């Protein structure tokens, strides 16, 4: 591999690394804001539901809506899993970089924290094959810190 090709490959590795980290940060920020907004709406629904002036039929609808919002909040609790997958992708990129550019001074150090993710997090079995009525194992793991 020529010196020019190695420089181009190193630049590409750095670009992919920055993009992967940026995507993870963007998703995390978006999820956080979404959780804040939905929590505020759920709190308002809860207040309405508890209002003694609300008819019982409407109270039942509000209760159903409240349960739906709680389910949405549950599904939004995947930020940790996204961060783990992002770090696993960066680790794979580090491995590729080390392989192609050499582990010595040529390959950039992406400062990947290999302890921050399960080694099987990107396996084929982690693909979401569940139907819409059930939480994926990823969602459950993210919620309960598994």
């Amino acid at each position: 591999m020529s010196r020019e090709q190695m420089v181009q490959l190193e630049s590409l590795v750095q670009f992919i690394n920055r993009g992967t980290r940026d995507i993870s940060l963007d998703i995390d920020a978006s999820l956080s804001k979404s959780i804040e907004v939905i929590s505020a709406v759920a709190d308002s629904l809860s207040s309405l539901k508890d209002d003694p002036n609300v008819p019982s039929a409407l109270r039942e609808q509000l209760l159903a809506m409240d349960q739906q919002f709680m389910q949405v909040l549950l599904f939004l609790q995947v930020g940790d899993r996204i961060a783990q997958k992002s770090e696993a992708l960066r680790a794979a990129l580090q491995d590729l970089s080390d392989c192609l550019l050499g582990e010595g001074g040529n390959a950039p150090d992406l400062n990947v924290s290999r302890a921050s993710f399960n080694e099987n997090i990107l396996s084929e079995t982690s693909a979401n094959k569940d139907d819409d009525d059930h939480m994926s194992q990823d969602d459950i793991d993210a919620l309960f810190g598994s």
Side-chain angles (χ1 to χ4, degrees):
M1 183 179 303
S2 74
R3 177 70 184 141
E4 183 180 326
Q5 288 174 320
M6 289 180 72
V7 169
Q8 288 176 338
L9 183 57
E10 184 178 347
S11 293
L12 182 60
V13 166
Q14 294 285 10
F15 177 78
I16 293 170
N17 180 53
R18 283 190 309 272
T20 303
R21 280 190 309 192
D22 287 351
I23 287 170
S24 181
L25 292 172
D26 289 347
I27 290 171
D28 188 51
S30 180
L31 285 172
S32 294
K33 291 293 182 185
S34 297
I35 289 169
E36 284 177 30
V37 170
I38 290 174
S39 293
V41 172
D43 288 345
S44 296
L45 274 177
S46 188
S47 294
L48 282 174
K49 179 183 66 176
D50 296 337
D51 186 338
N53 298 325
V54 173
S56 62
L58 181 56
R59 183 173 282 112
E60 287 178 29
Q61 288 178 337
L62 291 170
L63 180 60
M65 290 172 63
D66 187 50
Q67 290 172 345
Q68 289 171 331
F69 274 109
M70 291 303 112
Q71 188 176 20
V72 168
L73 285 171
L74 194 64
F75 283 120
L76 287 174
Q77 302 295 324
V78 295
D80 180 56
R81 199 69 168 177
I82 291 167
Q84 288 183 44
K85 286 184 178 186
S86 174
E87 201 66 5
L89 284 172
R90 292 182 59 242
L93 182 62
Q94 181 71 66
D95 291 344
L96 178 63
S97 175
D98 291 347
C99 179
L100 294 175
L101 295 171
E103 289 185 41
N106 294 333
D109 182 5
L110 304 181
N111 297 314
V112 176
S113 174
R114 293 182 185 271
S116 66
F117 62 90
N118 179 311
E119 66 184 40
N120 297 319
I121 197 162
L122 295 178
S123 69
E124 292 177 23
T125 58
S126 71
N128 189 0
K129 298 175 185 171
D130 298 341
D131 60 82
D132 292 338
D133 293 333
H134 296 90
M135 289 184 69
S136 70
Q137 187 60 47
D138 286 351
D139 296 332
I140 294 167
D141 290 348
L143 256 183
F144 299 105
S146 299

